[in-house]
Amino acid sequence: MKLIIDTANVKEIKRLCEILNVWGVTTNPTIIARENKPFEKVIAEIDEVLDKKQTLFVQVVSTDYESMVEEGRYIASLRKNIVVKVPVTADGLKAIKTLHKEGIKILATAINNATQGFVAALNGAEYLAPYVNRMSNYTDGVEETIILQEMLDEHDLDTEIIAASLKNTGQVKELIRNGIESVTLPVDIADLMYLNPATDEAIDAFTNNWYKVYNKKTLR
Ligand code: G3P
């Protein structure tokens, strides 16, 4: 099981890497643009807070085949442990084939149904990012992701699903209990994986009860 963080905010990446077992960081053009800094600076800053084993995912911006391939090669040159994100369109699928042949690791992204994911897997994508919550506008996004996993299993494709576009921990729980290997979580959902007001209440009571007897809020 891989827990991935869907943000380019270095402070949040650093904070969450200290709290959780973060396998990697996913970005997309919207997420990077949100930082409002030059692209290379954002990537360099993320690289600095990640260790070498943590994988970074960076997406192409262009939408035509030639430029996607060119940007994919450039992204792949930025870091050793990096995966190029390519949206599943006709040009994107062509680019996935080409980049895969060159040994570049690909995450096929913006997947909005199981068949899109399946054809991207056949083209050599290492990872697939179904947009679970966005799919939920017109179908059951969790169920569609599970169907995609079943299709991969049935045909012995070892392409890995990284479920994306997650908006609540209920979606995350359903995916994990159904065997989906990886999820990429926005910062607020990553925090909601462990925060619970009832836990804070319990701790307050422990501290207060201890204080009443020992007149201090520490063990020693
Ligand atoms: O990487 C971004 C992807 O997870 C889509 O998320 O929140 O834009 O639907 P969202």
Side-chain angles (χ1 to χ4, degrees):
M1 174 74 216
K2 299 182 180 81
L3 204 62
I4 300 169
I5 306 298
D6 203 20
T7 183
N9 187 283
V10 180
K11 272 191 194 157
E12 294 294 6
I13 294 169
K14 196 169 184 307
R15 183 180 68 81
L16 285 167
C17 283
E18 284 165 4
I19 299 170
L20 298 169
N21 188 5
V22 175
W23 185 83
V25 165
T26 48
T27 66
N28 64 31
T30 304
I31 286 173
I32 292 193
R34 207 176 279 151
E35 298 311 302
N36 201 17
K37 294 179 201 167
F39 167 68
E40 279 81 6
K41 189 170 161 61
V42 176
I43 300 303
E45 285 178 1
I46 297 175
D47 180 58
E48 213 173 291
V49 295
L50 292 183
D51 70 37
K52 288 185 172 48
K53 281 190 191 150
Q54 288 173 303
T55 304
L56 176 61
F57 296 76
V58 178
Q59 190 167 324
V60 298
V61 178
S62 292
T63 53
D64 66 282
Y65 164 73
E66 277 86 12
S67 310
M68 279 171 146
V69 169
E70 191 202 314
E71 289 180 6
R73 288 178 186 140
Y74 175 62
I75 291 167
S77 75
L78 293 175
R79 188 176 193 260
K80 197 158 184 233
N81 188 1
I82 199 160
V83 175
V84 177
K85 291 177 69 179
V86 180
V88 178
T89 58
D91 285 63
L93 284 166
K94 279 168 66 179
I96 289 170
K97 272 191 184 183
T98 302
L99 293 167
H100 172 66
K101 274 189 203 137
E102 294 178 15
I104 292 170
K105 283 192 180 172
I106 305 295
L107 176 146
T109 193
I111 290 170
N112 281 284
N113 63 48
T115 57
Q116 281 184 308
F118 191 72
V119 293
L122 291 177
N123 278 18
E126 206 98 12
Y127 305 96
L128 306 175
Y131 276 8
V132 175
N133 196 72
R134 292 197 198 191
M135 279 197 271
S136 298
N137 291 326
Y138 48 91
T139 186
D140 183 332
V142 170
E143 181 62 20
E144 191 73 9
T145 302
I146 294 165
I147 290 170
L148 173 57
Q149 184 64 64
E150 287 167 355
M151 289 162 75
L152 297 172
D153 292 344
E154 188 63 32
H155 295 276
D156 294 325
L157 293 165
D158 56 7
T159 306
E160 201 174 295
I161 291 178
I162 299 180
S165 178
L166 296 162
K167 289 291 169 284
N168 60 66
T169 54
Q171 292 168 334
V172 180
K173 253 192 310 195
E174 278 306 301
L175 293 163
I176 293 173
R177 77 194 278 245
N178 279 286
I180 297 302
E181 175 62 21
S182 310
V183 290
T184 184
L185 307 176
V187 170
D188 57 339
I189 305 300
D191 279 323
L192 285 176
M193 294 292 283
Y194 64 90
L195 289 175
N196 190 311
T199 303
D200 296 336
E201 275 173 36
I203 293 163
D204 284 347
F206 293 143
T207 308
N208 292 337
N209 292 334
W210 181 270
Y211 187 78
K212 280 179 208 156
V213 173
Y214 300 107
N215 205 32
K216 60 183 177 185
K217 292 187 175 180
T218 55
L219 189 67
R220 300 170 66 201

